[in-house]
Amino acid sequence: MEEHDHDFDWKSYKGNGEEEYEGNYDFVDLNANKEQEDCTVESDVEDVANTLASEHPFKELSFMRALDLDAMNALEFPEYANADPPVVVDGEVVIGMEFNSREVVIKAAKDCTIYRGVDYRVFEPEPMTFYAKCVQYGQSCDWLIRVSVMRRKYCWEIRRYNGIHTCTRTTFSQDHSKLDSDTIVEALKPLVEADPSIEVRSVIADVQSKFNYTISYHKTWMATQKAVEKIFGGWEASYEALPAWFEVMVKKEPSTAVEYGTLPCYRSDELAQDVRVLNRVFWSFYPCIRAFRPCKPVVQVDGIRLYEKYKGMLLVAVSQNGNNNIVPIAFVLVEGETSYAWFFFLRHLRTHVVTKDGVGLISDRHESIRSAVSRCDGAWEPPRAIHMFCIRHIASNFLRKFKAPFIQKLVVNIGYSRTMAKYEIRYQRLRS
């Protein structure tokens, strides 16, 4: 544990003291001797491959000229091959149609009923049989279907089918019971993969064009979340991968700055043995560290709260280069007290990225940031740094309180004054 953590508010955690707090820091000094680094960087794969190829030149053997590649790649049992889902023409299936899994059978049945605007109910839900009847079976429709596993063919086959529905729907709905989130997910995958932040209304429009049904907002949102999880992974998997991801990142580029820490895990007020929970992580890619060197001596920090499954804060520091382009330089994910989150961020930002003096720190000067600045042992105070106001936040707060957009422009102009004379002129105009 580092000495800087001595004034962390431990009462907000279910711990017995500071000794339970564990830090795992991985950082290699930019000026360190490469021979003394406690890690090795592997040679490029391309260089190794070229070296091996030159040492062992390839010679085509005589028997390779007589190989029948078509026969080698042919299926061993072509009569049982059914890798692709069956094509349902005009929403219709036929007796003898084969499927490679129960899931594909259910999908075909759903597509058929959704296309026809009808519905069915499953009977005898056995693992080796799919047997369903129309919801109006015995009244105005005789539609039924039975699909069974054919052990000799290693597939599912339609053994009984009465043809298309003869019923007519007495009521019409914008939605369909078989158009569930799992069915929608398969149709959404290309959209979500191209744009994970796609708007719900765009998804509703796409589903309407494909299925001719307008689904509810809640069902659309649930399907979108499932699609994101199937494509990019779930919350738990992403958090579990973080430590390994950081280790690989540092090994690939040792000059990358990474610092993370964990806390003990409790279940029903009992300490879980050998289980640690990720609490905070700071990282800065080496290209970001290097890119900050020629940037303007200005750093802007801002944060946003996370409201999904895992709460906390995401903090970001950016700078500006000579072409007035924004350059991100550091990131932090922290759970817990806001003031400690900023203290953790600013301390390591100063240690690993912003090492030069005379730097301007721009923020909204929230009380938590001001408290963190005062706890950094002068690292963000004159003459090493100057803490400045963010004009955008001042203008936003002014407009929220006074509701006067025309006066808000004067406030912004005051903030952009480059000389005391211009500042006084604009300030007097604001007062008048």
Side-chain angles (χ1 to χ4, degrees):
M1 172 177 171
E2 297 183 1
E3 60 181 2
H4 297 288
D5 292 338
H6 66 278
D7 49 358
F8 176 74
D9 185 12
W10 296 97
K11 295 181 181 179
S12 60
Y13 296 92
K14 295 182 179 180
N16 297 325
E18 298 184 11
E19 47 280 332
E20 287 186 342
Y21 201 87
E22 177 182 86
N24 303 288
Y25 300 132
D26 295 295
F27 178 75
V28 178
D29 190 359
L30 300 180
N31 300 320
N33 188 348
K34 294 296 182 180
E35 297 179 356
Q36 297 178 355
E37 292 178 356
D38 189 21
C39 59
T40 58
V41 181
E42 298 178 357
S43 302
D44 290 340
V45 176
E46 184 178 359
D47 296 339
V48 176
N50 293 336
T51 302
L52 293 176
S54 61
E55 293 178 356
H56 306 281
F58 174 76
K59 295 182 180 179
E60 183 180 13
L61 301 178
S62 59
F63 77 90
M64 296 184 66
R65 303 191 187 97
L67 294 179
D68 189 348
L69 298 180
D70 294 334
M72 292 174 61
N73 296 325
L75 297 175
E76 186 175 0
F77 301 101
E79 64 275 15
Y80 301 144
N82 189 27
D84 298 328
V87 178
V88 181
V89 181
D90 293 333
E92 198 55 60
V93 296
V94 295
I95 294 178
M97 183 177 287
E98 298 177 355
F99 307 83
N100 55 13
S101 67
R102 182 184 181 88
E103 289 72 21
V104 180
V105 172
I106 297 175
K107 182 180 183 304
K110 287 182 178 180
D111 290 344
C112 179
T113 54
I114 293 173
Y115 180 83
R116 295 290 180 184
V118 292
D119 203 353
Y120 66 84
R121 187 178 295 110
V122 177
F123 292 81
E124 301 177 11
E126 299 178 359
M128 310 301 288
T129 303
F130 177 80
Y131 183 41
K133 296 180 181 179
C134 177
V135 292
Q136 299 186 34
Y137 185 83
Q139 301 176 8
S140 59
C141 185
D142 295 330
W143 183 93
L144 64 81
I145 185 172
R146 179 188 289 273
V147 189
S148 303
V149 174
M150 307 302 293
R151 297 184 183 276
R152 295 185 178 182
K153 293 185 177 182
Y154 299 97
C155 68
W156 290 67
E157 182 179 315
I158 297 180
R159 305 294 294 172
R160 184 180 177 186
Y161 183 61
N162 283 6
I164 63 175
H165 288 259
T166 57
C167 60
T168 57
R169 301 186 64 181
T170 57
T171 59
F172 292 91
S173 173
Q174 289 186 330
D175 205 345
H176 196 287
S177 62
K178 294 300 182 290
L179 191 57
D180 53 17
S181 59
D182 292 331
T183 304
I184 301 171
V185 163
E186 297 303 319
L188 289 185
K189 277 186 177 181
L191 286 176
V192 175
E193 190 169 9
D195 182 13
S197 60
I198 186 172
E199 295 184 356
V200 174
R201 60 182 180 181
S202 299
V203 176
I204 293 177
D206 184 76
V207 172
Q208 203 280 333
S209 64
K210 290 181 178 179
F211 298 98
N212 202 25
Y213 284 94
T214 303
I215 59 178
S216 64
Y217 186 97
H218 178 71
K219 182 184 287 189
T220 307
W221 186 86
M222 290 293 296
T224 305
Q225 298 303 308
K226 286 186 177 181
V228 170
E229 183 172 350
K230 281 193 173 184
I231 297 172
F232 303 101
W235 292 102
E236 291 81 1
S238 298
Y239 260 68
E240 289 175 0
L242 270 178
W245 184 74
F246 285 127
E247 289 179 5
V248 172
M249 187 170 64
V250 172
K251 185 175 181 180
K252 184 67 177 177
E253 179 48 71
S255 297
T256 296
V258 175
E259 301 200 19
Y260 63 93
T262 60
L263 286 175
C265 178
Y266 288 85
R267 296 192 181 100
S268 301
D269 296 330
E270 293 184 2
L271 179 64
Q273 299 297 328
D274 301 327
V275 178
R276 307 289 296 185
V277 178
L278 181 68
N279 170 253
R280 78 248 193 274
V281 57
F282 169 96
W283 77 95
S284 179
F285 303 104
Y286 178 64
C288 297
I289 299 174
R290 186 175 55 189
F292 176 70
R293 297 172 185 171
C295 282
K296 300 175 182 178
V298 175
V299 176
Q300 182 171 347
V301 294
D302 202 356
I304 185 172
R305 291 196 171 274
L306 307 178
Y307 296 101
E308 292 294 341
K309 182 171 183 178
Y310 295 105
K311 307 298 187 293
M313 291 189 67
L314 171 64
L315 311 179
V316 181
V318 300
S319 186
Q320 192 179 59
N321 62 15
N323 294 326
N324 295 329
N325 295 321
I326 300 299
V327 179
I329 57 178
F331 312 86
V332 158
L333 278 172
V334 181
E335 292 186 354
E337 184 192 2
T338 303
S339 61
Y340 177 77
W342 281 110
F343 168 67
F344 174 76
F345 185 32
L346 294 177
R347 176 162 61 95
H348 296 301
L349 178 65
R350 191 47 138 158
T351 302
H352 303 314
V353 184
V354 186
T355 56
K356 53 189 176 183
D357 292 339
V359 177
L361 176 67
I362 302 177
S363 75
D364 61 356
R365 292 182 68 91
H366 188 272
E367 184 59 37
S368 59
I369 301 180
R370 295 174 61 186
S371 174
V373 168
S374 64
R375 295 165 59 186
C376 287
D377 300 329
W380 292 104
E381 295 177 351
R384 297 197 62 191
I386 302 174
H387 195 184
M388 300 179 290
F389 286 93
C390 174
I391 300 176
R392 185 182 66 84
H393 282 91
I394 293 177
S396 177
N397 295 337
F398 182 91
L399 184 62
R400 185 183 300 110
K401 185 173 183 178
F402 296 104
K403 305 294 189 297
F406 62 97
I407 302 181
Q408 181 197 35
K409 295 181 180 180
L410 296 178
V411 174
V412 174
N413 290 335
I414 292 175
Y416 279 104
S417 300
R418 297 180 180 273
T419 63
M420 287 298 299
K422 288 186 178 180
Y423 173 83
E424 289 296 338
I425 294 174
R426 291 169 177 173
Y427 182 70
Q428 292 302 326
R429 186 183 305 169
L430 175 65
R431 293 189 62 183
S432 63

